[in-house]
Amino acid sequence: MTTLVTGATGNTGRHVTAELVRRGEGVRALTRDPGRAASVLPDGVELVAGTHTDLAMLGGALDGVDRLHITATAGLVETGPELVRRAVAAGVRRITVLWGGYVGPVEEAVADSGVAWTRLEPQEFMSNALTWVDSVRTEGVVREPFDLPSAVVHEGDIGAVAAAALLEDGHAGKAYNLTGPEALRTSERVALLSAAIGHPVDLVRITREQAVARLVADGVSPADAEYVVGWHADPPAASWTPVDTVAQVLGRPARTFADWLAEHADRFDVPRLAS
């Protein structure tokens, strides 16, 4: 049995891949850069050059594949339905899809595929805090426009749920809302970060306009930047309401933000800033 993982080196894809390998499964990783992928994925993963957003580059990636994990990205809106059609034609009989924040063309294609499918609907990733690394290391601050609660979810838990849905019965036709075990305001996450690295980090509030401009400067389109910041300005109740889906699927509690920080604190930490 072989599972093809798209977006295999992304925030969640690498965790899906690692969990499948941990469970002794054969994994084929679709990646634009196999050399880089080899440095971040476990040994034993079959690396295939290509991308699911350009089907001309897909080649024989689906040959002999029984299961498929798809990460819905912006570029998949156009190619996703055809990717699903090709996967089913190639013999894939179980699909998990990590949604793009809403049920769009690829999510609909998966649900209409005629094979067993599970849709993963995580809320905000804990790894979004990695956008704070540079300002924390250089200035000891986090700059965000809002201080609202978010039930942030560990990307490793998302990967573990995906692996369970791919390998185990009982998940077909289900859409799983995935959160962490607690809702934390931005200020509360910053306080936990301060404790984890052993020196103060301040939350500096910026305007909505500054937040949009920051995303645009990072290469996000103005429309997408407005959407992202608008979502954070008025998040849906699902984003700040913890649910126990992770515990129900995995038989263990969802990991906390403190757990995540214990794994990543070294990425934020530097010698104490000069006074």
Side-chain angles (χ1 to χ4, degrees):
M1 302 284 284
T2 298
T3 301
L4 177 66
V5 178
T6 73
T9 59
N11 283 340
T12 57
R14 67 182 64 189
H15 288 279
V16 178
T17 301
E19 182 64 15
L20 290 168
V21 170
R22 188 189 70 79
R23 294 177 64 154
E25 299 301 312
V27 183
R28 182 178 297 163
L30 186 67
T31 173
R32 291 179 182 271
D33 187 348
R36 174 179 176 273
S39 69
V40 299
L41 296 179
D43 293 338
V45 175
E46 180 187 356
L47 303 175
V48 177
T51 171
H52 61 337
T53 59
D54 184 351
L55 298 185
M57 297 178 62
L58 197 59
L62 288 166
D63 294 348
V65 169
D66 311 284
R67 299 170 299 236
L68 171 65
H69 176 75
I70 302 172
T71 298
T73 58
L76 206 59
V77 171
E78 293 79 18
T79 61
E82 176 62 13
L83 170 65
V84 173
R85 188 197 68 76
R86 291 191 188 188
V88 174
V92 168
R93 291 294 174 261
R94 188 169 289 183
I95 301 174
T96 53
V97 57
L98 179 73
W99 77 337
Y102 63 95
V103 178
V106 64
E107 292 87 352
E108 291 172 350
V110 169
D112 295 337
S113 65
V115 302
W117 61 269
T118 307
R119 186 167 65 244
L120 309 178
E121 301 181 354
Q123 301 303 320
E124 184 178 0
F125 297 174
M126 291 181 182
S127 59
N128 285 356
L130 293 174
T131 61
W132 301 342
V133 165
D134 288 345
S135 64
V136 169
R137 288 175 65 89
T138 59
E139 303 172 79
V141 303
V142 166
R143 292 185 176 85
E144 292 293 345
F146 314 114
D147 188 20
L148 298 173
S150 180
V152 288
V153 59
H154 195 300
E155 54 275 13
D157 285 345
I158 300 170
V161 170
L166 286 164
L167 301 178
E168 301 169 3
D169 294 332
H171 304 288
K174 295 184 178 180
Y176 285 143
N177 176 29
L178 303 176
T179 74
E182 55 192 345
L184 297 169
R185 292 182 178 275
T186 307
S187 56
E188 292 174 312
R189 282 184 280 161
V190 170
L192 287 168
L193 173 58
S194 297
I197 64 177
H199 61 75
V201 178
D202 295 324
L203 174 62
V204 175
R205 299 286 294 276
I206 60 176
T207 67
R208 176 171 177 156
E209 291 73 22
Q210 287 172 319
V212 169
R214 180 171 63 183
L215 288 174
V216 171
D218 287 339
V220 179
S221 73
D224 286 345
E226 287 284 358
Y227 172 80
V228 169
V229 175
W231 186 93
H232 284 281
D234 186 22
S239 72
W240 44 262
T241 305
V243 294
D244 64 352
T245 311
V246 169
Q248 289 183 11
V249 172
L250 301 180
R252 62 159 176 80
R255 283 173 276 193
T256 66
F257 188 61
D259 294 331
W260 184 92
L261 286 169
E263 299 165 12
H264 297 280
D266 61 323
R267 302 178 68 171
F268 295 87
D269 200 16
V270 291
R272 292 179 182 272
L273 298 175
S275 58

